[in-house]
């Protein structure tokens, strides 16, 4: 805002006053007889008149003129200048009701954004092939898929197995726990090729799969009349995929499943299904005391208050141990993992300790450590926790966790974080997936990209488990029992190990053993999108 000063003009008027007589009569004096001659007084001496001295005039001092300072332009990475500059900008609102941020750009803008984003934030940016030519890819996603390290882990697996993308609207619904399908969760044999073995790991209560009578352990035989187990050929595989992975609501597909000697024929209609991340919460009475058990399948917003309620139930029941079933948990929000780890270990073990420190590439400033969280964040959910509420804790010195190749990312952070503060963590089941990495999803022009940005380490500085955590007792998944049944193989082995300190004898030729490699026939891997195998930084 500019101001203009005003001139003040003042005029001082000086008035002089003159004195006068009274105006009364005065008698005259009589002169003497011999008057002396009058004396003419000397005229008063007139002092010399000095010329007025004019004080020297000091010229006004003009302050130096300071040229205006132009503030420096902020130095943004190039990716920020290209963000949301799209070859085909979207209009309208996103699933959350906000306007899309897209502005008109070009295909080059989208590809250059990805390259610059990778160069700035990707953990292994130095290993990305330098000879990729962006102009060779008409689809930015195809270009992005190659912007990763080609190196291998010490175990021979690709170093980066978690580089992927999703349509942004689809990912927004996944993050809320909504999935398009039938409410059925599957596990498949390693490799996934023919002969294919797919078995139900569980169904969502109230879903069409549940209403059709499907249950854990059912094996898939046909889809829309096609041989699912042994069928081959591109056309047949396309039909199988169309049946198993519908792309819109209201699709109807036929399936044949086997349960023991029985064969089930069902027709399922696709829809959006809300997942239940916490289930089968129960207190088991054992000769050595009460043991809490729960199935935890996903670190999403709706899980926060469900976990708080489960731990509160265990605390009120006076449990002395916990069996945490995360064999199908692919991960999610690291902050929820930090809350869960606190509720297991308690304040005495975790005060002032780091749950996970995420370490980025050499271009990034170090991040503050993620602490064990003693209060709820209050994620939005149908039944949310109150932000800032104190979390309950079991104050356990040990915990048994049921694991498998589906135990991934934020779930592995729970294991590593607890071991970092000397909680004895026994793993019962199979080797975990091996993802000590985290990222922040990056949307751009209708696509959300996922690229590894950080490696997580615990309070002791350990985070080297890219080939997974090996189990204490190796136990194959048991599809013949419901989860939470004390006779189910992994839960039974966990209770045995708790009571004796040793793994149970392997039944029927080696389904349970300590260490060693897992039999290929026993390895069943959850069927799920990569977007379910993540550690997300808030």
């Amino acid at each position: 805002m500019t101001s203009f000063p005003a001139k003040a003009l003042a005029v001082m008027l000086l008035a002089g006053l003159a004195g006068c007589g009274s105006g009364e009569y005065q008698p005259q004096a009589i002169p003497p007889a011999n008057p002396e001659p009058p004396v003419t007084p000397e005229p008063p001496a007139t002092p010399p008149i000095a010329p007025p001295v004019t004080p020297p005039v000091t010229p006004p001092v003009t302050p130096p003129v300071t040229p205006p300072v132009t503030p420096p332009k902020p130095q943004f990475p190039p990716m920020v200048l290209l963000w949301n500059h799209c070859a085909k900008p979207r209009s309208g609102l996103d699933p959350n009701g906000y306007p899309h941020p897209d502005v008109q750009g070009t295909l080059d803008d989208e590809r250059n954004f990805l390259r610059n984003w990778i160069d700035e934030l990707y953990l292994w940016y130095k290993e990305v092939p330098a000879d990729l030519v962006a102009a060779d890819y008409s689809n930015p996603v195809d270009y992005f898929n190659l912007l990763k390290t080609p190196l291998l882990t010490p175990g021979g697996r690709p170093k980066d197995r978690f580089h992927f993308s999703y349509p942004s609207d689809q990912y927004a619904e996944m993050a809320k726990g909504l999935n398009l399908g039938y409410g059925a969760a599957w596990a498949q044999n390693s490799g996934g090729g023919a002969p294919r073995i797919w078995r139900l790991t569980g169904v969502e209560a109230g879903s069409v799969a549940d209403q059709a009578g499907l249950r854990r352990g059912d094996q898939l035989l046909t889809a829309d009349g096609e041989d699912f187990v042994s069928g081959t050929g591109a056309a047949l595989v396309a039909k199988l995929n169309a049946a198993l992975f519908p792309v819109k609501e209201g699709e109807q597909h036929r399936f044949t499943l086997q349960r023991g000697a029985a064969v089930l024929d069902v027709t399922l209609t696709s829809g959006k299904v809300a997942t239940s991340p916490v289930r089968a919460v129960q207190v088991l009475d054992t000769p050595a005391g009460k043991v809490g058990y729960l199935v935890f399948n996903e670190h999403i917003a709706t899980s926060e208050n469900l976990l708080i309620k489960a731990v509160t139930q265990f605390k009120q029941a006076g449990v002395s141990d916990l069996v945490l079933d995360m064999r199908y948990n692919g991960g999610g929000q690291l902050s929820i993992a930090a809350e869960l780890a606190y509720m297991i270990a308690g304040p005495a073990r975790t005060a002032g300790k780091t749950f996970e420190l995420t370490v980025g590439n050499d271009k990034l400033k170090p991040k503050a450590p993620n602490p064990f969280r003693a209060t709820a964040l209050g994620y939005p959910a149908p039944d949310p926790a109150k932000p800032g509420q104190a979390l309950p804790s079991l104050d356990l010195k040990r915990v048994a966790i049921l694991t498998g190749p589906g135990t991934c990312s934020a779930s592995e952070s729970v294991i590593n974080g607890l071991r970092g503060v000397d909680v004895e963590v026994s793993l019962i089941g199979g080797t975990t997936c091996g993802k000590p990495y985290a990222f922040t999803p990056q949307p751009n022009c209708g696509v959300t990209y996922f690229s590894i940005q950080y490696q997580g380490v615990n309070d002791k500085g350990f985070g080297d488990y890219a080939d997974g955590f090996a189990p204490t007792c190796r136990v194959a998944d048991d599809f013949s029992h419901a989860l939470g049944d004390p006779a189910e193989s992994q839960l039974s082995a966990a209770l045995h190990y708790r009571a004796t300190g040793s793994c149970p004898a392997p039944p029927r030729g080696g389904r349970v053993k300590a260490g060693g490699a897992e039999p290929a026939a026993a390895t069943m891997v959850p069927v799920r999108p990569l977007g379910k195998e993540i550690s997300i930084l808030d």
Side-chain angles (χ1 to χ4, degrees):
M1 178 176 178
T2 306
S3 60
F4 296 91
K7 293 183 179 180
L9 303 179
V11 177
M12 303 296 293
L13 301 179
L14 304 178
L17 298 179
C20 304
S22 65
E24 294 184 358
Y25 174 76
Q26 298 291 335
Q28 297 292 319
I30 299 173
N34 295 309
E36 293 184 1
V39 177
T40 303
E42 293 286 337
T46 301
I49 299 174
V53 178
T54 303
V57 177
T58 304
V61 178
T62 303
V65 178
T66 303
V69 177
T70 302
K73 294 182 178 180
Q75 298 299 309
F76 295 114
M79 64 178 180
V80 175
L81 302 179
L82 297 171
W83 190 18
N84 297 321
H85 285 62
C86 312
K88 297 179 180 179
R90 296 165 295 167
S91 59
L93 305 178
D94 66 16
N96 295 316
Y98 296 103
H100 290 298
D102 303 357
V103 298
Q104 186 62 57
T106 65
L107 177 60
D108 277 342
D109 289 338
E110 294 189 43
R111 292 182 298 211
N112 289 337
F113 170 82
L114 292 172
R115 182 74 215 207
N116 290 328
W117 179 57
I118 292 294
D119 286 346
E120 288 293 327
L121 300 177
Y122 185 52
L123 184 61
W124 303 296
Y125 73 94
K126 295 178 181 179
E127 299 173 9
V128 176
D131 57 354
L132 294 175
V133 179
D136 291 343
Y137 304 91
S138 59
N139 186 337
V141 173
D142 293 337
Y143 180 49
F144 167 77
N145 290 340
L146 299 176
L147 292 173
K148 64 178 183 177
T149 176
L151 302 186
L152 304 178
T153 69
R157 296 196 295 180
K159 188 174 181 178
D160 188 351
R161 295 175 288 116
F162 307 99
H163 191 84
F164 57 94
S165 62
Y166 274 96
S168 294
D169 289 353
Q170 180 182 350
Y171 176 67
E173 295 206 331
M174 288 171 57
K176 297 176 183 177
L178 292 174
N179 297 287
L180 180 61
Y182 313 106
W186 301 92
Q188 66 177 338
N189 57 318
S190 295
R196 304 177 189 89
I197 300 175
W198 276 35
R199 305 190 73 171
L200 280 172
T201 62
V203 297
E204 291 294 338
S207 67
V208 293
D210 183 33
Q211 294 170 5
L214 302 187
R215 296 291 178 265
R216 172 176 167 81
D218 292 348
Q219 183 176 344
L220 183 61
L221 299 180
T222 71
D224 283 340
E226 302 292 343
D227 181 359
F228 179 80
V229 176
S230 303
T232 58
L236 180 141
V237 170
K239 291 181 180 179
L240 297 177
N241 283 327
L244 288 164
F245 307 107
V247 296
K248 60 183 179 180
E249 296 182 74
E251 294 184 25
Q252 287 192 339
H253 297 278
R254 295 176 292 110
F255 301 93
T256 303
L257 302 98
Q258 185 169 4
R259 182 185 303 161
V263 175
L264 305 157
D265 290 308
V266 297
T267 298
L268 304 179
T269 303
S270 63
K272 291 181 180 179
V273 182
T275 58
S276 302
V278 179
R279 58 182 74 183
V281 179
Q282 55 191 306
V283 176
L284 306 174
D285 287 312
T286 74
K290 294 181 178 181
V291 178
Y293 171 85
L294 68 87
V295 175
F296 181 33
N297 282 343
E298 196 170 3
H299 293 70
I300 57 177
T302 53
S303 71
E304 183 180 36
N305 205 30
L306 295 175
L307 289 170
I308 294 172
K309 289 182 175 181
V311 173
T312 299
Q313 178 181 335
F314 295 154
K315 189 175 184 67
Q316 292 173 346
V319 302
S320 56
D321 280 292
L322 174 68
V323 177
L324 177 62
D325 193 338
M326 295 200 296
R327 71 185 84 178
Y328 306 131
N329 192 318
Q333 297 286 351
L334 272 176
S335 55
I336 290 179
E339 289 182 11
L340 174 59
Y342 168 83
M343 289 190 282
I344 293 171
R349 287 182 177 272
T350 61
K353 300 295 183 66
T354 294
F355 169 68
E356 181 167 294
L357 174 65
T358 48
V359 182
N361 66 38
D362 56 5
K363 294 182 180 181
L364 302 179
K365 294 181 180 179
K367 295 179 69 69
N370 294 312
F372 289 84
R373 293 187 178 271
T375 58
L377 288 171
Y379 279 99
D383 180 24
K386 183 179 179 180
Q389 76 178 74
L391 298 179
S393 64
L394 299 176
D395 305 313
L396 298 178
K397 298 179 180 179
R398 64 179 183 177
V399 62
I401 299 180
L402 308 188
T403 60
T407 308
C408 199
S409 205
S411 298
E412 293 173 294
S413 293
V414 173
I415 297 169
N416 200 44
L418 289 173
R419 287 179 170 174
V421 292
D422 295 320
V423 172
E424 179 187 340
V425 181
S426 302
L427 304 183
I428 311 297
T431 302
T432 64
C433 87
K435 186 176 182 290
Y437 309 116
F439 41 51
T440 300
Q442 177 62 61
N444 190 59
C445 299
V447 179
T448 298
Y449 297 93
F450 300 79
S451 186
I452 292 172
Q453 296 162 354
Y454 303 96
Q455 180 168 357
V457 298
N458 64 16
D459 194 70
K460 296 182 177 182
F462 178 77
D464 187 12
Y465 52 91
D467 287 316
F469 287 114
T472 310
C473 298
R474 192 173 294 282
V475 186
D477 206 346
D478 177 4
F479 294 97
S480 63
H481 292 88
L483 297 179
D485 184 339
E488 189 273 320
S489 292
Q490 291 192 9
L491 176 53
S492 175
L495 296 174
H496 184 278
Y497 187 83
R498 169 181 177 269
T500 67
S502 62
C503 298
R508 298 181 184 180
R511 291 180 66 201
V512 181
K513 65 178 181 178
E518 180 146 14
T523 304
M524 297 289 285
V525 182
V527 178
R528 64 188 176 207
L530 281 171
K532 298 288 186 179
E533 297 182 349
I534 51 181
S535 284
I536 297 177
L537 295 179
D538 294 324

